[in-house]
Amino acid sequence: MNTIEAMRERHSIRKFDTDHVMPEEDLQEILDATIEAPSSWNLQHWKFLVIQSDEKKEELLPIAYNQKQVVDGDVTIAVLGDEQANQNADTVFGESVELGHMTEEIKDKVVATIHGAYENEKFGHDEALINASLAAMQLMLAAKEKGYDSVPMGGFDASKLRENFNIPERYTPVMLVAIGKGTGEARTSPRFPLEDVVIKDSF
Ligand SMILES: Cc1cc2nc3c(=O)[nH]c(=O)nc-3n(C[C@H](O)[C@H](O)[C@H](O)COP(=O)(O)O)c2cc1C
C-alpha cells in the first residue's frame, strides 16, 4: 500500500475482531514509524501510553464514555503531548553537535531561544497539541499500511485518564487511537469539495 492509498483507505472503524491479538512486532513497527513524525525544533512532543491488557482496557472504557472500540480493538493508544518539550532541547541539539551539524555555541543559542519561547505556557500547550496530533495521524497511517484499522477519539475524560493512568502533569492527553482488525464498514464520511477548501494565493 502506498501512502496515498493508505490515506484514502483509512477511515474510522469502530467494530473490531475481538479475538485478534496484535503481534508485538507489528506494534513496535507501527510505533517505530510513528516517531518519524516531524516536530517543531525536532523536540518530539509525544508519549504513547499503550493500553493493551484486558484489565486496563476495561478501566479505560468508562473514561472513554463507554465507546466500545477501546476494548474491542487490539490496543488503544493514548497520544500525549509534551507541554514542556523544551526540556528535550539540550538532548536533541546535543546530538546535532555530536553529528557535526552545529557548533556548541549555536546549540546554546538555539536552546536559549526555545526556553524563551516556552516561558509562555500557552505556547507549550499549543505546541504539545500540534505536534502530538501529527504523530497521531502518522500512527493511523502506519497502522493502515500494516493491515490494521483505527479510530481517533477525542471523546474521553482527560482528567480521569490522567488520574487512572498516572499521567504526569507535563503531558496532556491529546487523543485516543484504537487500533485493531476491523470487522464492520466505516461510516460514510464525505468531504467538502476541493474547490471549497483550497484557496489559491489569497482569500
Ligand atoms: C480529534 C478527533 C476526535 C474524534 N473523536 C471521536 C470519538 O470520540 N469517537 C468516535 O467514534 N470518532 C471520533 N472521531 C472520528 C471522526 O468522527 C472521523 O474521523 C470523521 O467522521 C471522518 O471519518 P473517517 O475517519 O472515517 O474518515 C474523531 C476524530 C478526530 C480527528
Side-chain angles (χ1 to χ4, degrees), residues 7-8 10-14 64-65 67 69 133 140 150-156 174-176 186-191:
M7 289 159 78
R8 289 199 185 281
R10 182 223 57 84
H11 283 290
S12 295
I13 293 291
R14 299 169 178 88
Y65 306 124
Q67 299 193 72
Q69 55 263 32
S133 294
M140 291 184 277
S150 65
V151 55
M153 281 167 281
F156 63 92
V174 174
M175 218 178 291
L176 299 177
R187 288 179 204 152
T188 317
S189 61
R191 299 299 193 258

Side-chain angles (χ1 to χ4, degrees), residues 106-143:
I106 299 276
K107 175 208 143 186
D108 290 344
K109 280 193 185 145
V110 176
V111 171
T113 304
I114 294 170
H115 285 312
Y118 273 80
E119 277 170 22
N120 176 349
E121 263 184 43
K122 185 180 178 306
F123 181 81
H125 179 72
D126 291 351
E127 287 283 282
L129 298 186
I130 292 167
N131 291 285
S133 294
L134 289 175
M137 186 71 250
Q138 190 116 320
L139 174 66
M140 291 184 277
L141 291 177

Side-chain angles (χ1 to χ4, degrees), residues 11 26 34 39 76 80 133 143 146 155 165-166 190-192 198 201:
H11 283 290
D26 283 2
T34 298
S39 59
T76 295
L80 312 175
S133 294
K146 286 296 294 174
F165 290 86
N166 304 312
R191 299 299 193 258
F192 298 128
V198 176
D201 286 342

